[in-house]
Amino acid sequence: MIPPGRSSRVFGLDFLRALAIAGVLFAHGFGLLYPQMPAWFGLFGHGGFYGVELFFVLSGFLIGRILIRQGSDLANASTVSVFYIRRWFRTLPLFWLFLFLNVLLEIQIKGHRLSLGEVLEHGFFLRTLTAYHPIFFPESWSLAIEEWFYLLFPAAVWLGLRVEKSFVRVFLTVAAGFFLFSTVGRMLSANGAEVTWAQWQRVIVIYRFDGLMVGVFAAWISLRWPDLWRSRPRHLAIIGCLLLLGLYASLWRWEGGQFVFGPDDYFARTFRFNLVSLGFALLLPFASLWKIERENFASLTVRKIALWSYALYLIHLPLFQLLMQYGYQDWRSSLPHALILFILTVGGSILLSALLFRFYERPCTGLRDRVAPAMAKAFTSPTRRASPKT
C-alpha cells in the first residue's frame, strides 16, 4: 500500500519526462517569440531536438527494464503478445485519434485532400521508415521510431531465444545489433546529396534505434549491477550535464550579429546523436533514485505534466495551427501579442491533454488490462495450463 501523499512513480523519471515535453513545447512556440527577442534568445531554439532525444532514452530505459524483467519468458509467444497488446493500447488509440484530426486540419487549413494511401502510410508508421517524406502530421516521425522499436526489438529477442537459451547473450547481442545498425547506417548515409542531420538522419526510423538502445543498455546496468548503478549518481549527472551543454553549443554559431544553426557536417549527422543519448543516459541513475517523501504543488505539477506528456506532444501543434489561423491574428505585431498566443497555446494544450488523459487515454489503457490476460491465455497451450497439476 502506498502511504498517503506518496506516489508509486519515480519522481526523477517524471521530472525528465516533463523536462522533455517542456523542451518540445517551447521549441515549437519559439518561432512566435524569437522575432521580438534579442539575438541571444536564439540559443533556446534547439530545445525540441533535446526533448525528443530525451524521450528516446527514457523509452529505451523503461521498456528495456520491462523486457529484462521478463527474461527467458520472452521465448514464449504469449509473453511477447501481452507486451505488444499493452504497448499498443497505450500508444495507438491516441495516435490514431490525432491522425484523424490532422487529416481534418489538412483539409480545412491547407485545402489539401489526402489520398487513402497517404493516410494509411502515416497510420502504420511507414512514411519515415527508410526516407523522409512527410506530407502532414510532421511530429509523427518520432512516434514512428518508437513504435518500430516496440515492434522489432522484442520480436528479435524472441527469435533469438528460439535458437539460443541464454537470455543474457541473446538480449545483449540483439541490443548491440540494433545500436550498430543505426549508427553505421548514419555513417554510410552521411554524405548523401539530399542529407541533412535535422531532416534526414534525425527523423528516419532505421537511423535512430541506437538512441533507444542507449536507454536499453542503461536499463541492463540498473537491473544487473544495481550497486554500480547507485554508486556515483551525482557525479554521473554532472558529467552528463556538462556533455549535453558542450554538445548543445555545437548546434550554434555566431554569424552576422545573431546565433544561427551550426554546421551540418559529418559529426552532426553521425556521432553527435550518440553522444547526446549518452549525456541523457548519464542522468538516469540520479533520476531513478530521486524520490520525494511528500507531494507538494511543484512535484504534483511535474507528475501531471509527465503523465499528460503523450497527449501534450500530439495536441500542441494542431492547437498552434488553429489559433494562428482563426484565433489571435495580431501575434506578429509585438512581443506581448506573441506571448499571449504562446500562453494560450501552452495553457490550452495542458488543459486539453488533461481531459484527453482522463476521458480517452486512461479508459484505453484500462482496457488493455482486460485484453492482455485473455491474449496470454489464448497463446497458452492446454498442456502448459495443466502443468501445475502434474
Side-chain angles (χ1 to χ4, degrees), residues 111-181:
H112 177 209
R113 293 190 176 274
L114 298 155
S115 70
L116 178 60
E118 291 167 341
V119 175
L120 290 177
E121 280 188 321
H122 272 280
F124 291 98
F125 307 103
L126 298 171
R127 199 68 192 176
T128 57
L129 181 59
T130 59
Y132 186 56
H133 300 299
I135 299 172
F136 72 113
F137 199 4
E139 63 273 27
S140 65
W141 68 268
S142 63
L143 305 178
I145 292 166
E146 297 209 17
E147 291 297 332
W148 281 105
F149 161 66
Y150 299 149
L151 176 67
L152 295 178
F153 185 71
V157 174
W158 174 78
L159 285 172
L161 290 172
R162 308 296 289 180
V163 297
E164 166 62 58
K165 300 303 182 184
S166 171
F167 174 74
V168 172
R169 282 197 290 268
V170 169
F171 191 89
L172 292 179
T173 299
V174 171
F178 272 72
F179 180 91
L180 291 172
F181 177 84

Side-chain angles (χ1 to χ4, degrees), residues 103-319:
V103 170
L104 296 182
L105 285 175
E106 196 73 8
I107 296 171
Q108 180 64 30
I109 294 179
K110 299 181 181 178
H112 177 209
R113 293 190 176 274
L114 298 155
S115 70
L116 178 60
E118 291 167 341
V119 175
L120 290 177
E121 280 188 321
H122 272 280
F124 291 98
F125 307 103
L126 298 171
R127 199 68 192 176
T128 57
L129 181 59
T130 59
Y132 186 56
H133 300 299
I135 299 172
F136 72 113
F137 199 4
E139 63 273 27
S140 65
W141 68 268
S142 63
L143 305 178
I145 292 166
E146 297 209 17
E147 291 297 332
W148 281 105
F149 161 66
Y150 299 149
L151 176 67
L152 295 178
F153 185 71
V157 174
W158 174 78
L159 285 172
L161 290 172
R162 308 296 289 180
V163 297
E164 166 62 58
K165 300 303 182 184
S166 171
F167 174 74
V168 172
R169 282 197 290 268
V170 169
F171 191 89
L172 292 179
T173 299
V174 171
F178 272 72
F179 180 91
L180 291 172
F181 177 84
S182 290
T183 298
V184 173
R186 285 201 308 274
M187 293 168 63
L188 294 176
S189 67
N191 294 319
E194 76 283 10
V195 168
T196 65
W197 77 267
Q199 297 296 324
W200 196 258
Q201 275 85 6
R202 181 188 176 214
V203 296
I204 294 175
V205 171
I206 60 173
Y207 297 146
R208 297 314 320 278
F209 291 132
D210 51 354
L212 291 144
M213 289 304 115
V214 169
V216 170
F217 290 133
W220 182 270
I221 296 170
S222 73
L223 292 174
R224 293 294 173 132
W225 293 291
D227 292 338
L228 176 63
W229 184 258
R230 298 187 185 100
S231 61
R232 295 287 189 273
R234 293 182 183 274
H235 293 84
L236 292 175
I238 291 171
I239 294 171
C241 288
L242 292 174
L243 177 60
L244 290 168
L245 286 172
L247 291 167
Y248 196 84
S250 74
L251 294 165
W252 299 99
R253 68 177 184 269
W254 183 259
E255 184 178 282
Q258 62 181 346
F259 287 102
V260 297
F261 289 168
D264 186 13
D265 55 15
Y266 186 81
F267 172 72
R269 299 174 185 181
T270 54
F271 301 118
R272 184 164 64 196
F273 291 105
N274 301 109
L275 292 173
V276 169
S277 298
L278 175 61
F280 283 124
L282 291 172
L283 306 182
L284 290 175
F286 180 81
S288 65
L289 298 171
W290 183 8
K291 300 178 182 179
I292 55 175
E293 292 299 320
R294 184 165 295 277
E295 296 286 1
N296 53 44
F297 178 78
S299 66
L300 186 61
T301 300
V302 167
R303 289 194 189 279
K304 291 299 184 182
I305 296 299
L307 199 61
W308 304 333
S309 60
Y310 184 38
L312 267 170
Y313 184 80
L314 289 169
I315 202 169
H316 72 280
L317 276 182
L319 193 57

